[in-house]
Amino acid sequence: MVTLQFNVRRRGVLGALLIVNMLMATRITLSLSVHPLLKRTPFRRRFPSSSHFSSKSHPCPLWSPSFSLCLHKSTITTPSPSPSSSSFSCSSFSSSSLSAPSMAAAAGDDALPTNPLLRDFDFPPFDAVEVSHVRPAIRALLKSLEDDLVELERTVETNWPKLVEPLEKIVDRLSVVWGIVNHLKSVKDSSELRSAIEEVQPEKVKFQLRVVLLRWYGSSLKLTQIKEAVLLGVSLEDDKKDHFNKIQQELERLSQKFEENVLDATKKFEKLITDKKEIEGLPATALGMAAQTAVSKGHENATAENGPWIITLDAPSFMAVMQHARNRSLREEIYRAYVTRASSGDLDNTRIIDEILKLRLEKAKILNYNNYAEVSMATKMATVEKAEELLEKLRSASWDAAVQDLEDLKDFSKKLGASEADDLNHWDISFWSERLRESKYDINEEELRPYFSLPKVMDGLFNLAKTLFGIEIEAADGLAPVWNNDVRFYCVKDSSGSPIAYFYFDPYTRPSEKRGGAWMDEVVSRSRVLSRNGTSARLPVAHMVCNQTPPVGNKPSLMTFREVETVFHEFGHALQHMLTKQDEGLVAGIRGIEWDAVELPSQFMENWCYHRDTLMSIAKHYETGESLPEDVYLKLLAARTFRAGSLSLRQASAIWIRFASVDLELHTKYTPGGSQSIYDIDRKVSERTQVLPPLAEDRFLCGFSHIFAGGYAAGYYSYKWAEVLSADAFSAFEDAGLDDIKAVKETGNRFRETILALGGGKPPLELYVFVIVVFVEFRGREPSPEPLLRHNGLLQVATA
């Protein structure tokens, strides 16, 4: 059995520094900026070469052979509203913490007060920001903060206790403005916005690096944060520090370029279809979406029935073709286009990947590590060895089942007379898997869509949150400006009716301007220092962003079950951010939590999609109000473990063992510029992780944003690591009795008060094993992988 052992070893310079610091407990060199959750992604976060000071941004799990999983990236913060009186209305605020006049005065520009990025506001002015505002706002802000930073640098040695709060305020003010800009790039991208960001980003990074080099004192900071400081070069000698900082800046630039290439390559591909025979099998929802795309591209008379239709590489369109198109040639064309995205011409990411890997290795050597994986693991629970051990345990438990799954598909397709039965390829697997599942369980996921309308799903999700965690969620549309008319805004209240958090929800795909995947993003964290009224803490605000099927015609967004799981997943991330009870901004919510445990709350929430009462509360036919038939629910439950072996090898709950293994291999053994290419490494890993070998031209690495533009470098394994924790956490509810509402509420409250509430706020001697400490407090024992294997139907295989 694999046990989750956490990394408490001290290595090299890091070990010496940490031991001295812990023994002296008086003076700690620490990074002010990056907590382990920098999303999504975009949670996509960038660590340690973060472009922001904190946060998580999650592109998260869209079930598909796409690579649009939970990307963590930081696009943080803005001043958050907090109640200014005893009124519990969601619209009660205190004054803003940003002062546009002071910034404008510092910058010496009378026109700046009209810049929406520099005005006072309660919520970000997403609807008013234009590209022309970006450059002057960032430069004015940096200029206004310069004197404060210089003063801190001058007095840090002699007057530290009084400098902690001013430093946090500097970080927050920059994060407010930069967070707005960076978020808009993710959801409303344009070449002009990219250019503006690229122009001012070096100035922002230079300022940021000065901030992270300031020294920190105090015993309330986590050991993981101490490690981050070392990994950010805080303790380097001056002759190495400049070089290290240049590496940081270049890595940030390359990561941004990588992601832009992926987005541009995805947008570039369009397949116009005029003959309905070519798209036979596509469900009505997909046809409607393809026609709607055609209309947006100038085909004004396009209809779902008669076309024309445009197929794209955006996840909903791509997956519809892979799962339902009878035209094998079309499936092959779309699949090949997808796995070769951003691998040729001006958008080729191959060179960028090699340069990123080279710089990461160079950075590791400067820090006296053998490879970048060791750098990454320094702030995680796992070690390289333990991560590899877990992946091998799951690989071996899944392999025989995956081999049998492929044989079952061949036999099934042969019985139906498929000409490709003896030569199934990648573009056949999803199609025949859906047909087999329909046959085996009499479930057609497309036919289930009418039972999963977005309004009903959200109502059921919010009712579940009320049952588990005692919170009320109410719509607050119009209270905060939004970046698109589809965006919803919500207020979260405690049992007394007092607002405790807010969040935005942007549900639908917009392939022309919005990056793919799904993610949760921190807008602003809970903070005592940044309280508006000087008494209650500033309240947290979050983004939840998905890319699901939009409404078509007069119908609401009708979701696949996988899209339902995605919304529950992202909401789990948001809950940990919003329900924190930590008032210290640097360790509140998702900040300071070990990266390989960050998926615990999100994957925990996915389990409730299979809970009968929860599922039946959301599965209501959008026209008739009829509940999902009981026999269909039972089939859906049985289908949960369908092809469990292959799903574990390809992507169980947002992780592909192949991808996690390639990630570790590239960051441990691969030598950039050596005799082997990145594609050689991928093929070698695929031999032991993938029953069906990848195509010779497969270039999925060129679209693997998680590790080259997000926060998962040498950390992609963490999806499965955290899934062990989440499955075990859910088993606490199973043990208590899922039908016992009182027990469920009591267990939910315990989950809230431990996993969700504590954030990173524990003393350093406890927090180097923080997640395990909190998990044991909730569960009563250390985590076990058995509940996960049981949920995936692999327990017997694993123990045989």
Side-chain angles (χ1 to χ4, degrees):
M1 175 188 289
V2 174
T3 56
L4 293 187
Q5 297 183 14
F6 19 89
N7 184 4
V8 297
R9 293 181 300 167
R10 310 322 194 229
R11 289 168 285 195
V13 172
L14 176 62
L17 284 170
L18 292 179
I19 290 171
V20 169
N21 283 328
M22 295 305 293
L23 289 175
M24 295 180 66
T26 56
R27 187 171 175 180
I28 298 174
T29 303
L30 183 64
S31 160
L32 183 249
S33 71
V34 205
H35 62 71
L37 269 193
L38 280 181
K39 47 215 246 258
R40 68 3 16 263
T41 134
F43 221 39
R44 230 170 10 212
R45 74 175 204 192
R46 296 173 184 168
F47 172 78
S49 57
S50 166
S51 63
H52 309 291
F53 291 98
S54 61
S55 159
K56 146 186 176 161
S57 142
H58 301 249
C60 283
L62 290 175
W63 186 86
S64 71
S66 73
F67 315 120
S68 303
L69 299 185
C70 202
L71 296 177
H72 298 254
K73 173 185 181 178
S74 112
T75 53
I76 8 191
T77 64
T78 86
S80 157
S82 59
S84 57
S85 69
S86 59
S87 169
F88 294 152
S89 167
C90 282
S91 60
S92 293
F93 308 117
S94 55
S95 61
S96 171
S97 62
L98 279 185
S99 172
S102 64
M103 293 182 196
D109 188 340
D110 293 337
L112 284 173
T114 64
N115 191 316
L117 287 167
L118 300 180
R119 295 180 196 154
D120 281 351
F121 50 75
D122 288 307
F123 292 108
F126 287 119
D127 59 343
V129 176
E130 298 178 0
V131 172
S132 61
H133 298 135
V134 173
R135 295 176 181 85
I138 296 299
R139 286 172 173 149
L141 179 57
L142 293 176
K143 187 172 182 179
S144 73
L145 297 177
E146 175 66 22
D147 289 344
D148 292 338
L149 183 59
V150 169
E151 179 64 19
L152 292 182
E153 290 171 331
R154 185 178 65 83
T155 60
V156 64
E157 296 286 348
T158 59
N159 196 26
W160 178 252
K162 294 185 178 180
L163 300 182
V164 177
E165 293 188 5
L167 187 56
E168 183 176 348
K169 290 177 180 178
I170 289 176
V171 171
D172 189 77
R173 289 177 73 185
L174 180 56
S175 297
V176 166
V177 179
W178 187 258
I180 297 170
V181 172
N182 205 50
H183 176 68
L184 288 174
K185 183 177 181 293
S186 294
V187 297
K188 206 171 181 178
D189 182 59
S190 69
S191 58
E192 294 80 11
L193 182 56
R194 290 181 187 181
S195 297
I197 291 175
E198 184 175 359
E199 184 176 325
V200 296
Q201 184 167 279
E203 300 167 47
K204 189 272 300 184
V205 171
K206 184 177 180 180
F207 185 91
Q208 175 183 326
L209 288 170
R210 288 170 60 194
V211 173
V212 302
L213 293 176
L214 288 173
R215 297 184 177 183
W216 274 68
Y217 294 83
S219 60
S220 64
L221 297 169
K222 288 183 55 176
L223 184 60
T224 50
Q225 292 173 306
I226 300 169
K227 288 181 178 181
E228 287 172 357
V230 177
L231 300 184
L232 285 164
V234 174
S235 61
L236 291 174
E237 300 88 346
D238 288 341
D239 60 333
K240 293 183 179 180
K241 194 168 292 181
D242 287 343
H243 181 52
F244 182 87
N245 290 345
K246 289 178 181 177
I247 291 176
Q248 294 281 84
Q249 293 182 60
E250 181 63 6
L251 281 171
E252 183 167 329
R253 185 190 70 80
L254 290 169
S255 292
Q256 180 171 302
K257 181 61 177 174
F258 182 98
E259 182 64 19
E260 289 173 356
N261 285 350
V262 174
L263 178 60
D264 288 346
T266 302
K267 289 195 299 184
K268 186 177 181 180
F269 180 88
E270 293 179 6
K271 173 72 174 178
L272 177 66
I273 297 176
T274 57
D275 185 351
K276 195 166 187 176
K277 291 182 180 179
E278 291 189 42
I279 53 173
E280 285 184 354
L282 260 65
T285 302
L287 291 173
M289 183 170 58
Q292 202 163 271
T293 301
V295 170
S296 71
K297 300 292 183 180
H299 301 273
E300 297 179 359
N301 297 320
T303 65
E305 294 75 20
N306 302 314
W309 306 269
I310 289 182
I311 303 299
T312 71
L313 297 182
D314 201 44
S317 178
F318 172 76
M319 280 310 302
V321 172
M322 290 297 101
Q323 292 179 332
H324 301 290
R326 295 173 191 162
N327 184 343
R328 192 185 187 214
S329 296
L330 176 63
R331 297 200 308 266
E332 178 179 358
E333 180 182 355
I334 300 303
Y335 179 84
R336 288 182 183 275
Y338 196 93
V339 298
T340 56
R341 286 183 307 162
S343 65
S344 62
D346 294 339
L347 302 178
D348 190 352
N349 273 335
T350 304
R351 184 195 61 79
I352 292 177
I353 292 173
D354 270 322
E355 189 62 23
I356 287 174
L357 292 172
K358 176 184 175 183
L359 290 173
R360 285 175 178 169
L361 180 59
E362 188 174 352
K363 177 170 157 182
K365 297 295 185 181
I366 292 176
L367 294 170
N368 293 323
Y369 285 88
N370 294 316
N371 53 60
Y372 187 77
E374 291 184 357
V375 175
S376 175
M377 298 295 178
T379 53
K380 295 179 172 66
M381 291 185 290
T383 63
V384 174
E385 294 77 16
K386 287 301 173 184
E388 290 175 339
E389 182 182 340
L390 176 65
L391 291 175
E392 176 55 27
K393 175 73 173 180
L394 295 167
R395 188 204 68 81
S396 61
S398 305
W399 183 263
D400 289 345
V403 172
Q404 185 59 52
D405 282 346
L406 185 58
E407 291 303 312
D408 291 345
L409 278 189
K410 289 180 179 178
D411 292 341
F412 177 75
S413 58
K414 185 177 293 186
K415 288 179 182 178
L416 293 184
S419 59
E420 66 266 26
D422 292 324
D423 187 31
L424 292 184
N425 218 314
H426 294 279
W427 45 87
D428 302 315
I429 301 302
S430 291
F431 177 81
W432 286 109
S433 292
E434 283 300 300
R435 306 292 82 74
L436 178 56
R437 186 171 68 150
E438 291 167 2
S439 172
K440 189 177 181 70
Y441 298 103
D442 193 23
I443 290 179
N444 182 318
E445 186 155 302
E446 285 299 318
E447 292 178 0
L448 294 182
R449 279 186 188 266
Y451 289 96
F452 296 117
S453 66
L454 179 62
K456 269 299 179 197
V457 169
M458 298 307 288
D459 286 346
L461 177 58
F462 295 163
N463 285 332
L464 175 65
K466 180 179 180 180
T467 298
L468 295 179
F469 310 123
I471 58 175
E472 296 276 358
I473 300 173
E474 66 177 37
D477 297 310
L479 183 60
V482 295
W483 52 94
N484 185 281
N485 290 335
D486 291 332
V487 177
R488 300 294 309 277
F489 190 68
Y490 295 94
C491 174
V492 182
K493 297 181 177 182
D494 62 19
S495 57
S496 69
S498 175
I500 56 175
Y502 301 85
F503 69 96
Y504 302 83
F505 180 39
D506 184 354
Y508 310 130
T509 179
R510 295 190 299 277
S512 64
E513 63 178 12
K514 183 179 178 184
R515 64 178 172 83
W519 65 93
M520 171 268 172
D521 211 343
E522 175 185 311
V523 179
V524 61
S525 70
R526 183 179 175 91
S527 173
R528 175 188 54 80
V529 169
L530 293 163
S531 168
R532 304 288 193 83
N533 55 23
T535 54
S536 59
R538 184 182 68 175
L539 301 184
V541 183
H543 295 139
M544 263 176 63
V545 184
C546 295
N547 270 281
Q548 68 192 49
T549 309
V552 176
N554 295 324
K555 297 178 181 179
S557 174
L558 301 178
M559 304 166 68
T560 66
F561 187 68
R562 303 302 176 183
E563 290 174 338
V564 173
E565 288 181 303
T566 297
V567 170
F568 273 62
H569 181 109
E570 298 309 326
F571 190 64
H573 284 309
L575 284 172
Q576 189 167 40
H577 173 63
M578 296 188 296
L579 299 188
T580 183
K581 291 189 176 179
Q582 293 298 328
D583 288 341
E584 300 301 325
L586 295 175
V587 292
I590 57 180
R591 297 183 174 191
I593 294 174
E594 288 85 345
W595 181 241
D596 39 9
V598 78
E599 297 294 334
L600 193 170
S602 55
Q603 294 180 135
F604 164 80
M605 288 299 295
E606 287 185 48
N607 287 285
W608 292 99
C609 294
Y610 294 92
H611 175 232
R612 184 190 179 283
D613 290 349
T614 299
L615 183 63
M616 299 305 270
S617 74
I618 65 176
K620 306 286 185 182
H621 197 283
Y622 80 100
E623 289 180 313
T624 67
E626 174 192 3
S627 296
L628 186 74
E630 181 70 20
D631 64 320
V632 176
Y633 163 70
L634 294 174
K635 292 173 184 176
L636 194 61
L637 194 64
R640 183 179 189 181
T641 58
F642 176 61
R643 291 177 52 78
S646 291
L647 288 177
S648 290
L649 286 175
R650 286 181 63 79
Q651 90 166 33
S653 296
I655 180 174
W656 296 316
I657 292 175
R658 169 193 170 192
F659 300 163
S661 300
V662 169
D663 173 32
L664 287 179
E665 190 83 10
L666 288 174
H667 289 102
T668 53
K669 303 178 180 67
Y670 175 66
T671 303
S675 58
Q676 289 187 310
S677 72
I678 55 174
Y679 306 118
D680 293 331
I681 297 297
D682 182 32
R683 281 189 287 272
K684 183 179 73 172
V685 169
S686 297
E687 290 175 2
R688 58 185 174 81
T689 60
Q690 195 160 318
V691 176
L692 191 63
L695 300 178
E697 64 269 34
D698 188 313
R699 295 293 183 267
F700 99 88
L701 286 172
C702 288
F704 200 1
S705 296
H706 286 71
I707 67 171
F708 297 119
Y712 286 94
Y716 199 73
Y717 76 91
S718 62
Y719 274 110
K720 186 59 68 178
W721 188 278
E723 194 176 356
V724 171
L725 296 172
S726 66
D728 201 356
F730 187 74
S731 71
F733 290 82
E734 294 174 321
D735 292 347
L738 291 174
D739 295 328
D740 185 338
I741 187 65
K742 180 180 178 182
V744 166
K745 287 184 176 181
E746 290 175 350
T747 309
N749 183 65
R750 193 165 74 251
F751 187 89
R752 174 181 176 176
E753 295 301 315
T754 53
I755 304 297
L756 300 180
L758 293 178
K762 285 276 189 177
L765 283 175
E766 294 178 39
L767 279 179
Y768 67 92
V769 291
F770 166 67
V771 172
I772 297 299
V773 170
V774 174
F775 187 92
V776 171
E777 185 174 340
F778 165 67
R779 195 68 178 93
R781 58 166 172 74
E782 291 192 7
S784 164
E786 289 189 6
L788 173 61
L789 295 173
R790 173 164 52 82
H791 288 172
N792 286 346
L794 294 170
L795 187 58
Q796 290 182 343
V797 177
T799 58

